[in-house]
Amino acid sequence: MAHLLSKSVKQLVRKIPIVGQTATRSVTTLQETLAAQVPEKQKSLAALKKEHGSHVIGEVTIDQCIGGARSVKCMLWETSNLDPAEGIRFRGLTIPECQAVLPTYSGVAGDGEPLLESLLWLLLTSEVPTKEQVDTLTAELHSRAKLPDHVIPLLNSLPKDMHPMTQFTIGLNACQTESKFAKAYAEGVPKTDYHTYALEDILTVIAVLPEIAATIYRNVYFDGVVNKDTSLDYSGNFARMLGYDNPSFDELMRLYLCIHTDHEGGNASAHTTHLVGSTLSDPYLSYAAGLNALAGPLHGLANQEVLKWIQELKAKFEAEGKPITAETITEFAWDTLNAKKVIPGYGHAVLRKTDPRYTSQREFALKHMPDDELFKVVDTIYQVMPGVLKEHGKVANPYPNVDSHSGVLLWHYGFTQFQYYTVLFGVSRAVGGLSQLYWDRALGLPLERPKSVTPEWLWSQVKK
Ligand code: CMX
């Protein structure tokens, strides 16, 4: 992969400090790396605020006020940035750049998908870790992964027809008994120490999510038995817990978990985590709130909706004895639009081009399952849908987003329980939302409290 990078990208990648490469002593830990960064970042933000606090960075129109605050710049987000044309950059790196430089399971960057632990390190520290550093993080996450005793019995008691996302937030909320941040706050630790306790909770939340998620999957669809293999990385172990034992599926899980982590701050799950955290709710409660936002069909639930849409399309045309072609897909798309429903997996509040997270999944499919029947359907949808949505004329972005592709990859490996797909998104999104939550507390960001206005006030502004 690295050899495919352009010269400018190689230059960019070289600028990223590779911590530990020249170190002669034992591996620098994540905690040491962050502790060294905090004072400098605090100083820089304080200087920005003091010297330029009144500098104007935008204006707000009535359209934006009543239209979901699109493009209003009012939130600080360290870990990633989303460009409408280019898509996501994690700490300045595009997805292909991450694939080229981040440590993989084999240990060779570019040979396979990055490890989720590599991306967690990058998002938290803005540094590309060594494989040794990533291995210490894997071991640390495994060591933190024990659920409190009451959680599995609680999950086992939930109705099997309760949506997996509802079960997921219940499971995470139930782990909050272990919050070190909440305990430290109650004991009155100084504000300057909040971030160290937040980091404790953040790492533990990320560590426990796979077992909560896997227990729900095994309970709802199988025998409730969860088998771990902690000789593997985070994603490989998660795959085993779900019940999949296939190196190719492990690679899919690594890609899936990496690309869903972060999408700057304004999306509903990340924003909710940040907002709730700003009240000094601990990371367990903050991320459980973020999961509830992710469970909406306009956000993370769209991945299950895509699979449902494709299955309905297949069922309709199979019953009519028609093949699935560009023509029949177009017909089905218009049926959906004429019924005033959305085409799941298409459109985006910020993006105006094909989502690079879609493209990376398409590349995975071309490599691992080029002849898969559903992949071919998704590819044909990709050929016709932008044209249909352009003709429809309402949609700002007629191109596919991340949710458009993820389901068919899972389906290929026999993971067909699409009502569960958003839980996988939820395991991943924790890594982005909570990395930022660390910096929220380290930088001492205040309670978030934008101003709302009444319709009468808006009219009064227009009449002035
Ligand atoms: N199919 C049909 N209509 C769509 C559409 C789609 N895929 N995407 C947008 N529209 C409609 C909107 O509903 C809106 O209609 P109204 O004016 O009648 O309300 C109009 O087009 C303009 O919307 P927009 O400015 O293009 O999009 P928004 O920023 O308001 O919303 C999003 C963005 C993602 C909610 C929307 O594109 C959508 O509903 N897509 C389908 C659901 C989906 O795939 N969500 C996942 C997004 C990624 C993620 O968060 O996981």
Side-chain angles (χ1 to χ4, degrees):
M1 188 77 205
H3 65 283
L4 297 176
L5 293 177
S6 68
K7 199 173 158 213
S8 61
V9 169
K10 280 184 189 157
Q11 280 163 352
L12 171 71
V13 166
R14 251 183 249 125
K15 277 191 206 150
I16 298 161
I18 302 191
V19 176
Q21 216 172 42
T22 54
T24 48
R25 69 178 188 87
S26 62
V27 182
T28 320
T29 67
L30 182 70
Q31 285 83 349
E32 288 167 341
T33 308
L34 287 170
Q37 292 178 354
V38 167
E40 198 51 46
K41 289 222 181 192
Q42 286 174 334
K43 219 168 103 196
S44 163
L45 196 69
L48 184 65
K49 195 163 180 294
K50 186 162 174 243
E51 291 160 32
H52 306 287
S54 58
H55 188 87
V56 176
I57 56 168
E59 57 176 21
V60 182
T61 63
I62 288 179
D63 255 353
Q64 290 170 309
C65 177
I66 59 182
R70 293 291 183 285
S71 310
V72 177
K73 296 180 186 70
C74 64
M75 195 192 312
L76 188 70
W77 202 261
E78 283 262 332
T79 50
S80 67
N81 191 52
L82 182 61
D83 180 83
E86 184 193 54
I88 193 65
R89 278 183 184 264
F90 301 116
R91 292 286 189 178
L93 296 182
T94 63
I95 290 171
E97 288 165 10
C98 285
Q99 286 171 315
V101 299
L102 290 177
T104 61
Y105 187 65
S106 76
V108 182
D111 175 29
E113 302 299 338
L115 295 173
L116 180 71
E117 298 88 316
S118 309
L119 198 63
L120 171 58
W121 191 294
L122 176 73
L123 289 173
L124 271 168
T125 68
S126 73
E127 293 173 354
V128 172
T130 62
K131 180 70 164 68
E132 290 71 29
Q133 287 175 318
V134 171
D135 288 344
T136 62
L137 185 52
T138 300
E140 171 153 14
L141 292 175
H142 285 329
S143 75
R144 288 174 178 267
K146 186 173 169 359
L147 291 175
D149 288 344
H150 57 274
V151 174
I152 298 285
L154 173 70
L155 292 173
N156 291 347
S157 74
L158 298 176
K160 302 284 171 274
D161 59 355
M162 180 186 274
H163 193 280
M165 281 302 281
T166 314
Q167 299 194 38
F168 200 28
T169 61
I170 290 172
L172 179 56
N173 271 312
C175 293
Q176 192 262 351
T177 48
E178 311 310 298
S179 173
K180 294 196 171 148
F181 182 92
K183 189 162 175 281
Y185 184 84
E187 286 168 359
V189 303
K191 192 176 172 180
T192 45
D193 289 349
Y194 286 169
H195 62 97
T196 39
Y197 295 95
L199 185 61
E200 280 295 307
D201 280 3
I202 284 163
L203 293 175
T204 305
V205 168
I206 292 170
V208 297
L209 286 178
E211 190 173 355
I212 301 172
T215 302
I216 296 164
Y217 183 64
R218 301 296 308 176
N219 271 349
V220 171
Y221 305 107
F222 302 97
D223 52 5
V225 176
V226 171
N227 293 311
K228 296 185 182 180
D229 183 351
T230 53
S231 69
L232 292 168
D233 60 307
Y234 183 94
S235 311
N237 182 38
F238 182 34
R240 289 306 163 278
M241 284 196 262
L242 290 165
Y244 294 84
D245 190 355
N246 176 344
S248 171
F249 184 82
D250 296 350
E251 278 292 274
L252 172 63
M253 210 32 66
R254 290 173 192 125
L255 174 69
Y256 188 105
L257 294 181
C258 279
I259 62 175
H260 286 80
T261 48
D262 209 26
H263 218 222
E264 73 171 33
N267 68 80
S269 52
H271 185 189
T272 306
T273 307
H274 171 80
L275 167 68
V276 175
S278 84
T279 70
L280 300 184
S281 250
D282 60 69
Y284 291 84
L285 298 181
S286 303
Y287 190 58
L291 283 175
N292 281 315
L294 191 69
L298 296 188
H299 191 14
L301 206 77
N303 57 15
Q304 83 164 48
E305 298 295 298
V306 169
L307 244 290
K308 198 164 147 241
W309 192 86
I310 293 174
Q311 294 304 327
E312 283 167 6
L313 175 147
K314 273 186 75 190
K316 174 175 159 55
F317 293 118
E318 270 164 22
E320 292 175 10
K322 290 187 190 167
I324 299 177
T325 61
E327 289 69 37
T328 48
I329 290 171
T330 303
E331 181 189 326
F332 196 72
W334 278 111
D335 288 349
T336 305
L337 292 167
N338 291 335
K340 308 271 180 253
K341 293 185 196 158
V342 296
I343 307 284
Y346 277 76
H348 201 272
V350 178
L351 284 168
R352 293 296 175 260
K353 288 273 166 63
T354 296
D355 190 338
R357 299 173 299 173
Y358 175 93
T359 309
S360 67
Q361 294 180 92
R362 185 169 183 277
E363 281 167 8
F364 186 95
L366 286 169
K367 185 171 166 196
H368 294 270
M369 56 190 81
D371 300 322
D372 183 272
E373 186 206 348
L374 273 191
F375 168 55
K376 286 182 179 161
V377 173
V378 165
D379 225 30
T380 313
I381 296 172
Y382 184 36
Q383 284 162 33
V384 301
M385 197 61 79
V388 171
L389 289 172
K390 279 181 200 166
E391 196 182 329
H392 186 238
K394 267 170 78 175
V395 183
N397 173 35
Y399 301 105
N401 60 56
V402 65
D403 296 315
S404 184
H405 213 307
S406 49
V408 290
L409 301 182
L410 295 164
W411 193 280
H412 174 81
Y413 292 95
F415 198 136
T416 54
Q417 301 80 9
F418 56 79
Q419 298 86 348
Y420 181 86
Y421 288 172
T422 310
V423 175
L424 299 177
F425 195 157
V427 172
S428 169
R429 182 49 55 95
V431 170
L434 292 175
S435 293
Q436 179 58 40
L437 198 68
Y438 170 75
W439 283 104
D440 290 352
R441 296 292 74 77
L443 297 172
L445 298 189
L447 176 73
E448 193 173 282
R449 205 330 186 159
K451 177 81 185 91
S452 66
V453 293
T454 62
E456 292 75 22
W457 184 86
L458 287 177
W459 278 114
S460 73
Q461 298 304 298
V462 181
K463 285 174 189 156
K464 256 183 198 171

